[in-house]
Amino acid sequence: MNSKSIFKNTQIDMIHGPIFRNILIFAIPIFISSIFQQFYNTMDTFIVGKFLGAHSLAAIGSVNSVFDLLNGFALGLGNGLAIVTARAFGSRDEILLKRSVAGSIVIGIISSILITLLAYLGIKPLMHAINVPTSVFNEAYSYIIWIILFLFIMFAYNLAAGLLRSIGDSVMPLVFLIFSSILNIGLDILLITQFSMGVAGAAVATVIAQGISVILCIIYILKNTKILVPSRAHYKFEASLYKELLGQGYAMAMQMTIVNSGSVILQSGINDLGNAIIAGHTAARKLFMFVNMPFSSMSQSIATFISQNTGAHLPKRIRRSMRDAYLFDVAAAAFISLLLLFVAPAMAMSLS
């Protein structure tokens, strides 16, 4: 494999040079992406609250944990599948890399169809199980059903972004996400205020904006990162490869699902306490998502770093990276905990 032809598409070289600096530089765009993703999710609730009122805000809040559950599964699957691609990239095995991309696409398509079907059939029983108030049930359903029907877009974006990051490019997914965030806010206002679509307008705005982001990602990959474009021959089924892809993809997807399942269970208790408590809990959840960003960004960055260096057979760099990542997490946890003592009440108020 010609290393020059590969690295012209790569933002950060993970298998050469300073370890922690490269990990941190790679993690920064992921961190900013998380901020923008939370920003437009927050703007969704702000716009809904401003133009539709607390009742509609509570409707979104009552199924917010379900949205996070679905999004977490898609994010985990995309990142998990990309681990195999990152490993192949580190080993300079172009054929394996393209086969891993082809396998990821196949698994992503099948998974999105199955999850969409399960979610469509199970969403109303789940909403009853988590005690979505009768007063907001129809509005909540009109919001979450749009997300469910277009889950394949969520899967596609997370897979495309994960594949770009697998070869060291964490910048372009950020660029597309920023564009998507701005577009989402504009569509929110347009669909809610001009087309009178209610809370469904917020969901449709998210779907359209993320769909355009997927299209931009695909165009960029086809034009600038051809290493990620498989041919028909690369789609040939290989049991060992698919086993590894499924293992990595679903391990991370289930990890995210288990974490978010706790929130869904908690939501069932929150939804019994009235619209004001639901709105307050929604604000608290958003605050938690913000403070968790440094850790999730570092975990995604270190996963790519370790995968590439595993492929390149560089165990010393892997051990050093793990030590640096643990030290970063400890320092970040101490700083954020101290900061929250002073700013948490004001931040919760601003998000409610």
Side-chain angles (χ1 to χ4, degrees), residues 25 30 37-38 40 67 69 93 239 259 288 303 341 346:
I25 292 174
I30 299 176
Q37 196 159 31
Q38 284 304 311
Y40 80 69
F67 176 89
L69 180 69
D93 189 336
V259 171
F288 171 78
L341 290 175

Side-chain angles (χ1 to χ4, degrees), residues 96-139:
L96 177 59
L97 190 153
K98 287 180 179 290
R99 284 179 176 172
S100 72
V101 174
S104 297
I105 293 171
V106 172
I107 291 171
I109 291 172
I110 294 173
S111 297
S112 64
I113 293 172
L114 291 176
I115 298 300
T116 298
L117 181 61
L118 288 173
Y120 179 77
L121 295 175
I123 185 58
K124 282 190 175 181
L126 178 60
M127 289 173 66
H128 286 297
I130 63 175
N131 301 317
V132 173
T134 304
S135 60
V136 299
F137 192 95
N138 289 336
E139 267 196 293

Side-chain angles (χ1 to χ4, degrees), residues 60-270:
I60 291 180
S62 68
V63 291
N64 195 55
S65 61
V66 179
F67 176 89
D68 289 341
L69 180 69
L70 296 170
N71 187 58
F73 187 91
L75 176 62
L77 183 61
N79 288 338
L81 292 171
I83 284 176
V84 182
T85 303
R87 193 179 303 157
F89 181 77
S91 67
R92 297 299 188 267
D93 189 336
E94 184 174 353
I95 293 176
L96 177 59
L97 190 153
K98 287 180 179 290
R99 284 179 176 172
S100 72
V101 174
S104 297
I105 293 171
V106 172
I107 291 171
I109 291 172
I110 294 173
S111 297
S112 64
I113 293 172
L114 291 176
I115 298 300
T116 298
L117 181 61
L118 288 173
Y120 179 77
L121 295 175
I123 185 58
K124 282 190 175 181
L126 178 60
M127 289 173 66
H128 286 297
I130 63 175
N131 301 317
V132 173
T134 304
S135 60
V136 299
F137 192 95
N138 289 336
E139 267 196 293
Y141 179 78
S142 71
Y143 173 82
I144 199 65
I145 195 63
W146 279 99
I147 302 298
I148 289 172
L149 291 175
F150 291 92
L151 272 177
F152 70 92
I153 292 177
M154 188 183 293
F155 276 93
Y157 172 76
N158 282 292
L159 179 57
L163 290 174
L164 283 171
R165 290 172 184 143
S166 74
I167 61 170
D169 188 348
S170 60
V171 173
M172 291 313 297
L174 167 62
V175 172
F176 300 138
L177 186 61
I178 291 175
F179 174 80
S180 175
S181 301
I182 296 171
L183 179 61
N184 187 86
I185 293 169
L187 288 172
D188 269 341
I189 296 172
L190 179 66
L191 296 178
I192 290 174
T193 64
Q194 301 301 313
F195 288 84
S196 302
M197 292 184 65
V199 294
V204 172
T206 298
V207 167
I208 293 174
Q210 198 165 55
I212 292 175
S213 184
V214 170
I215 293 171
L216 293 175
C217 277
I218 293 173
I219 292 173
Y220 178 81
I221 289 171
L222 290 174
K223 292 185 64 177
N224 298 286
T225 57
K226 296 186 183 299
I227 190 69
L228 292 175
V229 182
S231 65
R232 179 179 297 181
H234 296 119
Y235 284 91
K236 182 180 178 180
F237 178 77
E238 185 179 335
S240 60
L241 175 61
Y242 273 75
K243 181 179 179 180
E244 185 176 14
L245 286 167
L246 286 168
Q248 294 289 352
Y250 274 85
M252 291 194 72
M254 292 308 298
Q255 178 182 337
M256 297 291 290
T257 300
I258 290 170
V259 171
N260 287 310
S261 292
S263 298
V264 174
I265 295 170
L266 176 62
Q267 188 83 61
S268 65
I270 297 296

Side-chain angles (χ1 to χ4, degrees), residues 296-310:
S296 61
S297 302
M298 178 55 67
S299 69
Q300 291 182 57
S301 182
I302 199 70
T304 300
F305 184 93
I306 289 175
S307 298
Q308 286 195 16
N309 281 273
T310 297

